[in-house]
Amino acid sequence: MSILSTEDWAAIALTLELAAVTTVLLLILCTPLAWWLAHTHSRWKGPIGAVVALPLVLPPTVIGFYLLVTMGPNGPVGQFTQWLGLGRLPFTFPGLVIGSLIYSMPFAVQPLQRAFESLGSRPLEVAASLGASPLDRFFTVALPMARPGFITAAVLSFAHTVGEFGVVLMIGGNIPGVTRVVSVQIYDHVEAMEYANAHLLAGGMVVFSFIVLMLLHWLQPKEPRA
């Protein structure tokens, strides 16, 4: 009977760390963006919304390739980080985080945007009539009422980051303990014809995905019966 190796556990730990960091950062960064998309009438809403949704239709390797070029030694981001003394981002954990943020962004923005849109204007107008400032209305009215959207965004962002392969392989490579996540570890096991080890990790991913879908089902607000 095959058991998980030290490298398998290291890949699992790195994957969970990457997913947790990415999820927290996405919720922080995407909340104002989703709020703006939900309420703006700007002509830029369509193009910006399309850019946010691009990872849903682009192959992960395309995103990973352009991130690698942009953050590489000759790319604008790579030159900037080297000028700052931060070194190069490709094949590092921070580089993985940046790739994950871009690749999982629509899974955070879209649930939050729908949650903000579903609020309507009435609750905010009532709060304004009671003297609440725009910031107070956002934090005391909009955020609590949009809680289901935040839960959905967090669960989807975490799960999607856990399942990444193409982007993390392109931007992070396959460095044990640094950038080798579970999906890459499964690929390595298959390449080495270690199918029993691949079964353990892949089966765990199947169970994890099922739990995520069930969790989303349970957490969705139930419509009142007529």
Side-chain angles (χ1 to χ4, degrees):
M1 180 180 178
S2 177
I3 59 174
L4 294 176
S5 66
T6 303
E7 289 188 349
D8 291 336
W9 283 115
I12 292 171
L14 183 66
T15 302
L16 294 177
E17 181 183 359
L18 175 63
V21 171
T22 299
T23 300
V24 172
L25 291 177
L26 279 176
L27 291 179
I28 294 172
L29 297 173
C30 293
T31 296
L33 176 58
W35 178 263
W36 181 82
L37 288 171
H39 294 91
T40 186
H41 298 289
S42 169
R43 63 179 180 177
W44 292 103
K45 177 179 180 178
I48 291 177
V51 169
V52 169
L54 269 179
L56 295 175
V57 295
L58 280 178
T61 49
V62 171
I63 299 173
F65 169 71
Y66 281 113
L67 284 174
L68 190 60
V69 170
T70 303
M71 296 192 296
N74 298 318
V77 175
Q79 292 180 350
F80 181 65
T81 56
Q82 290 178 90
W83 178 75
L84 290 176
L86 301 176
R88 302 172 185 174
L89 291 174
F91 312 114
T92 65
F93 184 78
L96 282 187
V97 172
I98 292 175
S100 299
L101 287 174
I102 293 174
Y103 189 49
S104 295
M105 185 173 290
F107 293 87
V109 172
Q110 292 185 356
L112 293 176
Q113 181 181 347
R114 288 194 294 269
F116 288 141
E117 288 172 344
S118 67
L119 298 181
S121 59
R122 182 62 179 166
L124 299 176
E125 290 173 353
V126 171
S129 68
L130 296 175
S133 67
L135 204 58
D136 288 335
R137 297 197 296 270
F138 179 75
F139 282 104
T140 63
V141 178
L143 289 188
M145 293 184 68
R147 181 172 173 268
F150 278 91
I151 294 174
T152 301
V155 173
L156 287 179
S157 298
F158 189 92
H160 190 251
T161 303
V162 167
E164 290 177 8
F165 177 71
V167 170
V168 295
L169 186 60
M170 291 288 287
I171 197 67
N174 188 4
I175 306 174
V178 179
T179 62
R180 183 186 290 173
V181 294
V182 169
S183 57
V184 178
Q185 183 74 358
I186 294 173
Y187 178 79
D188 283 350
H189 282 316
V190 174
E191 285 258 292
M193 300 185 70
E194 298 169 349
Y195 296 126
N197 302 80
H199 271 304
L200 282 175
L201 289 177
M205 293 288 286
V206 172
V207 173
F208 172 78
S209 301
F210 178 78
I211 292 173
V212 166
L213 292 175
M214 291 302 299
L215 185 63
L216 281 176
H217 174 73
W218 288 330
L219 293 176
Q220 289 298 321
K222 300 298 186 293
E223 295 292 335
R225 294 185 178 181

